[in-house]
PDB file of all heavy atoms in Angstrom:
ATOM      1  N   GLY I   1      75.272  93.300  86.160  1.00 96.00           N
ATOM      2  CA  GLY I   1      73.967  92.747  85.868  1.00 96.00           C
ATOM      3  C   GLY I   1      72.897  93.010  86.904  1.00 96.00           C
ATOM      4  O   GLY I   1      71.734  92.666  86.687  1.00 96.00           O
ATOM      5  N   GLY I   2      73.253  93.606  88.028  1.00 97.00           N
ATOM      6  CA  GLY I   2      72.263  93.900  89.049  1.00 97.00           C
ATOM      7  C   GLY I   2      71.300  94.981  88.592  1.00 97.00           C
ATOM      8  O   GLY I   2      71.554  95.695  87.620  1.00 97.00           O
ATOM      9  N   GLY I   3      70.189  95.093  89.297  1.00 97.00           N
ATOM     10  CA  GLY I   3      69.202  96.097  88.949  1.00 97.00           C
ATOM     11  C   GLY I   3      67.877  95.851  89.623  1.00 97.00           C
ATOM     12  O   GLY I   3      67.782  95.091  90.582  1.00 97.00           O
ATOM     13  N   LEU I   4      66.858  96.498  89.101  1.00 98.00           N
ATOM     14  CA  LEU I   4      65.501  96.408  89.632  1.00 98.00           C
ATOM     15  C   LEU I   4      64.659  95.524  88.728  1.00 98.00           C
ATOM     16  O   LEU I   4      64.666  95.689  87.504  1.00 98.00           O
ATOM     17  CB  LEU I   4      64.883  97.801  89.727  1.00 98.00           C
ATOM     18  CG  LEU I   4      63.427  97.902  90.158  1.00 98.00           C
ATOM     19  CD1 LEU I   4      63.269  97.412  91.599  1.00 98.00           C
ATOM     20  CD2 LEU I   4      62.940  99.333  90.022  1.00 98.00           C
ATOM     21  N   VAL I   5      63.932  94.595  89.330  1.00 98.00           N
ATOM     22  CA  VAL I   5      63.085  93.682  88.570  1.00 98.00           C
ATOM     23  C   VAL I   5      61.817  93.407  89.368  1.00 98.00           C
ATOM     24  O   VAL I   5      61.829  93.446  90.600  1.00 98.00           O
ATOM     25  CB  VAL I   5      63.835  92.371  88.248  1.00 98.00           C
ATOM     26  CG1 VAL I   5      64.170  91.616  89.524  1.00 98.00           C
ATOM     27  CG2 VAL I   5      63.037  91.501  87.299  1.00 98.00           C
ATOM     28  N   GLN I   6      60.727  93.150  88.677  1.00 98.00           N
ATOM     29  CA  GLN I   6      59.469  92.829  89.344  1.00 98.00           C
ATOM     30  C   GLN I   6      59.455  91.382  89.805  1.00 98.00           C
ATOM     31  O   GLN I   6      60.108  90.518  89.221  1.00 98.00           O
ATOM     32  CB  GLN I   6      58.283  93.075  88.408  1.00 98.00           C
ATOM     33  CG  GLN I   6      58.001  94.527  88.122  1.00 98.00           C
ATOM     34  CD  GLN I   6      56.755  94.719  87.296  1.00 98.00           C
ATOM     35  OE1 GLN I   6      56.649  94.199  86.191  1.00 98.00           O
ATOM     36  NE2 GLN I   6      55.797  95.455  87.835  1.00 98.00           N
ATOM     37  N   ALA I   7      58.698  91.122  90.863  1.00 98.00           N
ATOM     38  CA  ALA I   7      58.545  89.757  91.358  1.00 98.00           C
ATOM     39  C   ALA I   7      58.066  88.844  90.237  1.00 98.00           C
ATOM     40  O   ALA I   7      57.193  89.208  89.450  1.00 98.00           O
ATOM     41  CB  ALA I   7      57.571  89.725  92.529  1.00 98.00           C
ATOM     42  N   GLY I   8      58.659  87.662  90.177  1.00 98.00           N
ATOM     43  CA  GLY I   8      58.336  86.713  89.126  1.00 98.00           C
ATOM     44  C   GLY I   8      59.214  86.834  87.908  1.00 98.00           C
ATOM     45  O   GLY I   8      59.202  85.949  87.040  1.00 98.00           O
ATOM     46  N   GLY I   9      59.983  87.899  87.829  1.00 98.00           N
ATOM     47  CA  GLY I   9      60.853  88.130  86.694  1.00 98.00           C
ATOM     48  C   GLY I   9      62.198  87.442  86.826  1.00 98.00           C
ATOM     49  O   GLY I   9      62.450  86.699  87.781  1.00 98.00           O
ATOM     50  N   SER I  10      63.064  87.718  85.868  1.00 98.00           N
ATOM     51  CA  SER I  10      64.384  87.099  85.824  1.00 98.00           C
ATOM     52  C   SER I  10      65.470  88.152  85.705  1.00 98.00           C
ATOM     53  O   SER I  10      65.240  89.258  85.208  1.00 98.00           O
ATOM     54  CB  SER I  10      64.491  86.137  84.639  1.00 98.00           C
ATOM     55  OG  SER I  10      63.565  85.079  84.752  1.00 98.00           O
ATOM     56  N   LEU I  11      66.659  87.791  86.140  1.00 98.00           N
ATOM     57  CA  LEU I  11      67.810  88.674  86.064  1.00 98.00           C
ATOM     58  C   LEU I  11      69.066  87.811  86.011  1.00 98.00           C
ATOM     59  O   LEU I  11      69.150  86.797  86.706  1.00 98.00           O
ATOM     60  CB  LEU I  11      67.851  89.597  87.276  1.00 98.00           C
ATOM     61  CG  LEU I  11      68.706  90.867  87.199  1.00 98.00           C
ATOM     62  CD1 LEU I  11      68.177  91.803  86.122  1.00 98.00           C
ATOM     63  CD2 LEU I  11      68.704  91.573  88.548  1.00 98.00           C
ATOM     64  N   GLY I  12      70.026  88.214  85.195  1.00 98.00           N
ATOM     65  CA  GLY I  12      71.271  87.484  85.091  1.00 98.00           C
ATOM     66  C   GLY I  12      72.445  88.307  85.588  1.00 98.00           C
ATOM     67  O   GLY I  12      72.594  89.473  85.220  1.00 98.00           O
ATOM     68  N   LEU I  13      73.276  87.708  86.427  1.00 98.00           N
ATOM     69  CA  LEU I  13      74.468  88.356  86.947  1.00 98.00           C
ATOM     70  C   LEU I  13      75.706  87.707  86.344  1.00 98.00           C
ATOM     71  O   LEU I  13      75.699  86.521  86.022  1.00 98.00           O
ATOM     72  CB  LEU I  13      74.548  88.246  88.470  1.00 98.00           C
ATOM     73  CG  LEU I  13      73.360  88.742  89.292  1.00 98.00           C
ATOM     74  CD1 LEU I  13      73.649  88.554  90.774  1.00 98.00           C
ATOM     75  CD2 LEU I  13      73.049  90.188  88.975  1.00 98.00           C
ATOM     76  N   SER I  14      76.761  88.465  86.208  1.00 98.00           N
ATOM     77  CA  SER I  14      78.031  87.923  85.764  1.00 98.00           C
ATOM     78  C   SER I  14      79.146  88.481  86.628  1.00 98.00           C
ATOM     79  O   SER I  14      79.012  89.541  87.231  1.00 98.00           O
ATOM     80  CB  SER I  14      78.290  88.238  84.284  1.00 98.00           C
ATOM     81  OG  SER I  14      78.412  89.629  84.074  1.00 98.00           O
ATOM     82  N   CYS I  15      80.244  87.755  86.680  1.00 97.00           N
ATOM     83  CA  CYS I  15      81.391  88.156  87.479  1.00 97.00           C
ATOM     84  C   CYS I  15      82.652  87.718  86.753  1.00 97.00           C
ATOM     85  O   CYS I  15      82.846  86.525  86.512  1.00 97.00           O
ATOM     86  CB  CYS I  15      81.310  87.524  88.869  1.00 97.00           C
ATOM     87  SG  CYS I  15      82.804  87.708  89.866  1.00 97.00           S
ATOM     88  N   ALA I  16      83.501  88.675  86.418  1.00 94.00           N
ATOM     89  CA  ALA I  16      84.735  88.394  85.701  1.00 94.00           C
ATOM     90  C   ALA I  16      85.935  88.538  86.629  1.00 94.00           C
ATOM     91  O   ALA I  16      86.050  89.531  87.351  1.00 94.00           O
ATOM     92  CB  ALA I  16      84.882  89.332  84.510  1.00 94.00           C
ATOM     93  N   ALA I  17      86.820  87.559  86.587  1.00 92.00           N
ATOM     94  CA  ALA I  17      88.039  87.576  87.379  1.00 92.00           C
ATOM     95  C   ALA I  17      89.213  88.014  86.512  1.00 92.00           C
ATOM     96  O   ALA I  17      89.331  87.619  85.347  1.00 92.00           O
ATOM     97  CB  ALA I  17      88.321  86.201  87.968  1.00 92.00           C
ATOM     98  N   SER I  18      90.090  88.821  87.086  1.00 91.00           N
ATOM     99  CA  SER I  18      91.272  89.274  86.369  1.00 91.00           C
ATOM    100  C   SER I  18      92.433  89.418  87.340  1.00 91.00           C
ATOM    101  O   SER I  18      92.259  89.355  88.547  1.00 91.00           O
ATOM    102  CB  SER I  18      91.000  90.603  85.659  1.00 91.00           C
ATOM    103  OG  SER I  18      90.686  91.619  86.601  1.00 91.00           O
ATOM    104  N   GLY I  19      93.622  89.612  86.796  1.00 87.00           N
ATOM    105  CA  GLY I  19      94.807  89.772  87.614  1.00 87.00           C
ATOM    106  C   GLY I  19      95.549  88.460  87.825  1.00 87.00           C
ATOM    107  O   GLY I  19      95.280  87.463  87.166  1.00 87.00           O
ATOM    108  N   ARG I  20      96.491  88.459  88.736  1.00 78.00           N
ATOM    109  CA  ARG I  20      97.277  87.281  89.062  1.00 78.00           C
ATOM    110  C   ARG I  20      96.819  86.652  90.366  1.00 78.00           C
ATOM    111  O   ARG I  20      96.544  87.375  91.325  1.00 78.00           O
ATOM    112  CB  ARG I  20      98.754  87.666  89.161  1.00 78.00           C
ATOM    113  CG  ARG I  20      99.344  88.211  87.877  1.00 78.00           C
ATOM    114  CD  ARG I  20     100.771  88.665  88.092  1.00 78.00           C
ATOM    115  NE  ARG I  20     101.352  89.210  86.878  1.00 78.00           N
ATOM    116  CZ  ARG I  20     102.039  88.511  85.988  1.00 78.00           C
ATOM    117  NH1 ARG I  20     102.240  87.211  86.170  1.00 78.00           N
ATOM    118  NH2 ARG I  20     102.525  89.100  84.909  1.00 78.00           N
ATOM    119  N   PRO I  21      96.755  85.325  90.447  1.00 74.00           N
ATOM    120  CA  PRO I  21      97.038  84.350  89.390  1.00 74.00           C
ATOM    121  C   PRO I  21      96.051  84.467  88.227  1.00 74.00           C
ATOM    122  O   PRO I  21      95.000  85.113  88.353  1.00 74.00           O
ATOM    123  CB  PRO I  21      96.931  83.003  90.094  1.00 74.00           C
ATOM    124  CG  PRO I  21      95.973  83.257  91.197  1.00 74.00           C
ATOM    125  CD  PRO I  21      96.287  84.642  91.680  1.00 74.00           C
ATOM    126  N   PHE I  22      96.378  83.834  87.126  1.00 70.00           N
ATOM    127  CA  PHE I  22      95.595  83.992  85.911  1.00 70.00           C
ATOM    128  C   PHE I  22      94.309  83.180  85.893  1.00 70.00           C
ATOM    129  O   PHE I  22      93.439  83.429  85.053  1.00 70.00           O
ATOM    130  CB  PHE I  22      96.446  83.641  84.686  1.00 70.00           C
ATOM    131  CG  PHE I  22      97.625  84.548  84.505  1.00 70.00           C
ATOM    132  CD1 PHE I  22      98.914  84.088  84.710  1.00 70.00           C
ATOM    133  CD2 PHE I  22      97.444  85.870  84.139  1.00 70.00           C
ATOM    134  CE1 PHE I  22     100.000  84.922  84.552  1.00 70.00           C
ATOM    135  CE2 PHE I  22      98.528  86.724  83.979  1.00 70.00           C
ATOM    136  CZ  PHE I  22      99.810  86.248  84.186  1.00 70.00           C
ATOM    137  N   SER I  23      94.182  82.220  86.776  1.00 82.00           N
ATOM    138  CA  SER I  23      92.971  81.427  86.849  1.00 82.00           C
ATOM    139  C   SER I  23      92.583  81.224  88.305  1.00 82.00           C
ATOM    140  O   SER I  23      93.406  81.383  89.211  1.00 82.00           O
ATOM    141  CB  SER I  23      93.151  80.071  86.154  1.00 82.00           C
ATOM    142  OG  SER I  23      94.156  79.299  86.789  1.00 82.00           O
ATOM    143  N   VAL I  24      91.330  80.881  88.532  1.00 87.00           N
ATOM    144  CA  VAL I  24      90.832  80.631  89.875  1.00 87.00           C
ATOM    145  C   VAL I  24      90.201  79.249  89.928  1.00 87.00           C
ATOM    146  O   VAL I  24      89.959  78.620  88.901  1.00 87.00           O
ATOM    147  CB  VAL I  24      89.798  81.697  90.311  1.00 87.00           C
ATOM    148  CG1 VAL I  24      90.450  83.070  90.382  1.00 87.00           C
ATOM    149  CG2 VAL I  24      88.616  81.716  89.353  1.00 87.00           C
ATOM    150  N   GLY I  25      89.929  78.776  91.135  1.00 92.00           N
ATOM    151  CA  GLY I  25      89.308  77.478  91.315  1.00 92.00           C
ATOM    152  C   GLY I  25      87.801  77.591  91.348  1.00 92.00           C
ATOM    153  O   GLY I  25      87.189  78.206  90.479  1.00 92.00           O
ATOM    154  N   ALA I  26      87.195  76.993  92.372  1.00 95.00           N
ATOM    155  CA  ALA I  26      85.744  77.081  92.517  1.00 95.00           C
ATOM    156  C   ALA I  26      85.309  78.533  92.709  1.00 95.00           C
ATOM    157  O   ALA I  26      86.062  79.358  93.245  1.00 95.00           O
ATOM    158  CB  ALA I  26      85.287  76.233  93.696  1.00 95.00           C
ATOM    159  N   MET I  27      84.106  78.840  92.280  1.00 96.00           N
ATOM    160  CA  MET I  27      83.566  80.182  92.432  1.00 96.00           C
ATOM    161  C   MET I  27      82.176  80.088  93.037  1.00 96.00           C
ATOM    162  O   MET I  27      81.536  79.032  92.997  1.00 96.00           O
ATOM    163  CB  MET I  27      83.525  80.915  91.092  1.00 96.00           C
ATOM    164  CG  MET I  27      84.891  81.055  90.444  1.00 96.00           C
ATOM    165  SD  MET I  27      84.881  82.027  88.906  1.00 96.00           S
ATOM    166  CE  MET I  27      84.704  83.698  89.575  1.00 96.00           C
ATOM    167  N   GLY I  28      81.713  81.198  93.596  1.00 97.00           N
ATOM    168  CA  GLY I  28      80.412  81.177  94.233  1.00 97.00           C
ATOM    169  C   GLY I  28      79.759  82.544  94.293  1.00 97.00           C
ATOM    170  O   GLY I  28      80.364  83.563  93.951  1.00 97.00           O
ATOM    171  N   TRP I  29      78.514  82.531  94.716  1.00 98.00           N
ATOM    172  CA  TRP I  29      77.742  83.745  94.933  1.00 98.00           C
ATOM    173  C   TRP I  29      77.186  83.746  96.348  1.00 98.00           C
ATOM    174  O   TRP I  29      76.686  82.723  96.828  1.00 98.00           O
ATOM    175  CB  TRP I  29      76.578  83.847  93.945  1.00 98.00           C
ATOM    176  CG  TRP I  29      76.984  84.111  92.530  1.00 98.00           C
ATOM    177  CD1 TRP I  29      77.205  83.203  91.550  1.00 98.00           C
ATOM    178  CD2 TRP I  29      77.197  85.406  91.940  1.00 98.00           C
ATOM    179  NE1 TRP I  29      77.552  83.836  90.378  1.00 98.00           N
ATOM    180  CE2 TRP I  29      77.555  85.186  90.594  1.00 98.00           C
ATOM    181  CE3 TRP I  29      77.123  86.713  92.415  1.00 98.00           C
ATOM    182  CZ2 TRP I  29      77.836  86.233  89.715  1.00 98.00           C
ATOM    183  CZ3 TRP I  29      77.406  87.750  91.548  1.00 98.00           C
ATOM    184  CH2 TRP I  29      77.756  87.506  90.214  1.00 98.00           C
ATOM    185  N   PHE I  30      77.288  84.882  97.012  1.00 98.00           N
ATOM    186  CA  PHE I  30      76.701  85.110  98.317  1.00 98.00           C
ATOM    187  C   PHE I  30      75.838  86.361  98.232  1.00 98.00           C
ATOM    188  O   PHE I  30      75.977  87.152  97.301  1.00 98.00           O
ATOM    189  CB  PHE I  30      77.784  85.285  99.384  1.00 98.00           C
ATOM    190  CG  PHE I  30      78.581  84.042  99.659  1.00 98.00           C
ATOM    191  CD1 PHE I  30      79.556  83.606  98.776  1.00 98.00           C
ATOM    192  CD2 PHE I  30      78.360  83.304 100.815  1.00 98.00           C
ATOM    193  CE1 PHE I  30      80.292  82.460  99.025  1.00 98.00           C
ATOM    194  CE2 PHE I  30      79.098  82.159 101.085  1.00 98.00           C
ATOM    195  CZ  PHE I  30      80.053  81.735 100.190  1.00 98.00           C
ATOM    196  N   ARG I  31      74.955  86.551  99.200  1.00 98.00           N
ATOM    197  CA  ARG I  31      74.139  87.758  99.208  1.00 98.00           C
ATOM    198  C   ARG I  31      73.919  88.241 100.632  1.00 98.00           C
ATOM    199  O   ARG I  31      73.982  87.471 101.588  1.00 98.00           O
ATOM    200  CB  ARG I  31      72.791  87.521  98.513  1.00 98.00           C
ATOM    201  CG  ARG I  31      71.858  86.570  99.249  1.00 98.00           C
ATOM    202  CD  ARG I  31      70.625  86.287  98.413  1.00 98.00           C
ATOM    203  NE  ARG I  31      69.674  85.432  99.106  1.00 98.00           N
ATOM    204  CZ  ARG I  31      68.568  84.945  98.576  1.00 98.00           C
ATOM    205  NH1 ARG I  31      68.254  85.242  97.311  1.00 98.00           N
ATOM    206  NH2 ARG I  31      67.767  84.168  99.288  1.00 98.00           N
ATOM    207  N   GLN I  32      73.647  89.537 100.754  1.00 98.00           N
ATOM    208  CA  GLN I  32      73.404  90.127 102.060  1.00 98.00           C
ATOM    209  C   GLN I  32      72.289  91.160 101.951  1.00 98.00           C
ATOM    210  O   GLN I  32      72.414  92.139 101.220  1.00 98.00           O
ATOM    211  CB  GLN I  32      74.671  90.777 102.615  1.00 98.00           C
ATOM    212  CG  GLN I  32      74.522  91.288 104.036  1.00 98.00           C
ATOM    213  CD  GLN I  32      75.844  91.688 104.648  1.00 98.00           C
ATOM    214  OE1 GLN I  32      76.794  92.051 103.935  1.00 98.00           O
ATOM    215  NE2 GLN I  32      75.935  91.627 105.958  1.00 98.00           N
ATOM    216  N   ALA I  33      71.207  90.920 102.680  1.00 97.00           N
ATOM    217  CA  ALA I  33      70.099  91.853 102.757  1.00 97.00           C
ATOM    218  C   ALA I  33      70.323  92.797 103.934  1.00 97.00           C
ATOM    219  O   ALA I  33      71.031  92.459 104.884  1.00 97.00           O
ATOM    220  CB  ALA I  33      68.784  91.099 102.919  1.00 97.00           C
ATOM    221  N   PRO I  34      69.720  93.992 103.905  1.00 92.00           N
ATOM    222  CA  PRO I  34      69.891  94.939 105.013  1.00 92.00           C
ATOM    223  C   PRO I  34      69.512  94.320 106.355  1.00 92.00           C
ATOM    224  O   PRO I  34      68.451  93.716 106.490  1.00 92.00           O
ATOM    225  CB  PRO I  34      68.948  96.079 104.648  1.00 92.00           C
ATOM    226  CG  PRO I  34      68.866  96.028 103.162  1.00 92.00           C
ATOM    227  CD  PRO I  34      68.895  94.562 102.830  1.00 92.00           C
ATOM    228  N   GLY I  35      70.393  94.467 107.336  1.00 94.00           N
ATOM    229  CA  GLY I  35      70.130  93.960 108.667  1.00 94.00           C
ATOM    230  C   GLY I  35      70.296  92.467 108.833  1.00 94.00           C
ATOM    231  O   GLY I  35      69.996  91.939 109.906  1.00 94.00           O
ATOM    232  N   LYS I  36      70.771  91.785 107.804  1.00 96.00           N
ATOM    233  CA  LYS I  36      70.933  90.341 107.872  1.00 96.00           C
ATOM    234  C   LYS I  36      72.378  89.931 107.624  1.00 96.00           C
ATOM    235  O   LYS I  36      73.175  90.702 107.096  1.00 96.00           O
ATOM    236  CB  LYS I  36      70.030  89.648 106.849  1.00 96.00           C
ATOM    237  CG  LYS I  36      68.541  89.818 107.104  1.00 96.00           C
ATOM    238  CD  LYS I  36      67.726  89.003 106.125  1.00 96.00           C
ATOM    239  CE  LYS I  36      66.243  89.108 106.403  1.00 96.00           C
ATOM    240  NZ  LYS I  36      65.444  88.293 105.447  1.00 96.00           N
ATOM    241  N   GLU I  37      72.691  88.704 108.014  1.00 96.00           N
ATOM    242  CA  GLU I  37      74.016  88.147 107.775  1.00 96.00           C
ATOM    243  C   GLU I  37      74.173  87.812 106.300  1.00 96.00           C
ATOM    244  O   GLU I  37      73.202  87.521 105.601  1.00 96.00           O
ATOM    245  CB  GLU I  37      74.213  86.880 108.610  1.00 96.00           C
ATOM    246  CG  GLU I  37      74.101  87.069 110.114  1.00 96.00           C
ATOM    247  CD  GLU I  37      75.350  87.646 110.715  1.00 96.00           C
ATOM    248  OE1 GLU I  37      76.441  87.460 110.139  1.00 96.00           O
ATOM    249  OE2 GLU I  37      75.252  88.296 111.768  1.00 96.00           O
ATOM    250  N   ARG I  38      75.395  87.835 105.833  1.00 97.00           N
ATOM    251  CA  ARG I  38      75.657  87.394 104.475  1.00 97.00           C
ATOM    252  C   ARG I  38      75.430  85.885 104.394  1.00 97.00           C
ATOM    253  O   ARG I  38      75.848  85.138 105.282  1.00 97.00           O
ATOM    254  CB  ARG I  38      77.086  87.744 104.063  1.00 97.00           C
ATOM    255  CG  ARG I  38      77.406  87.375 102.626  1.00 97.00           C
ATOM    256  CD  ARG I  38      78.431  88.298 102.008  1.00 97.00           C
ATOM    257  NE  ARG I  38      79.686  88.313 102.720  1.00 97.00           N
ATOM    258  CZ  ARG I  38      80.726  89.089 102.398  1.00 97.00           C
ATOM    259  NH1 ARG I  38      80.638  89.913 101.363  1.00 97.00           N
ATOM    260  NH2 ARG I  38      81.833  89.039 103.107  1.00 97.00           N
ATOM    261  N   GLU I  39      74.763  85.437 103.335  1.00 98.00           N
ATOM    262  CA  GLU I  39      74.414  84.038 103.218  1.00 98.00           C
ATOM    263  C   GLU I  39      74.843  83.467 101.874  1.00 98.00           C
ATOM    264  O   GLU I  39      74.939  84.168 100.868  1.00 98.00           O
ATOM    265  CB  GLU I  39      72.908  83.830 103.410  1.00 98.00           C
ATOM    266  CG  GLU I  39      72.049  84.482 102.336  1.00 98.00           C
ATOM    267  CD  GLU I  39      70.569  84.210 102.526  1.00 98.00           C
ATOM    268  OE1 GLU I  39      70.201  83.474 103.461  1.00 98.00           O
ATOM    269  OE2 GLU I  39      69.769  84.747 101.728  1.00 98.00           O
TER     270      GLU I  39
END
């Protein structure tokens, strides 16, 4: 779902889990800009 969007616009991301174990617990999103720490 990533891509290029203009300021003020919207974008939707998705993340699918697969493999073993068959389910996961809590999930989250982090981001990292060039030259910055992951947040």
Side-chain angles (χ1 to χ4, degrees):
L4 175 65
V5 64
Q6 290 185 302
S10 298
L11 198 63
L13 305 181
S14 64
C15 170
S18 62
R20 298 176 181 268
F22 297 110
S23 62
V24 296
M27 301 184 75
W29 290 93
F30 293 76
R31 68 186 183 186
Q32 186 169 26
K36 295 185 177 181
E37 300 281 334
R38 183 150 59 183
E39 64 178 357

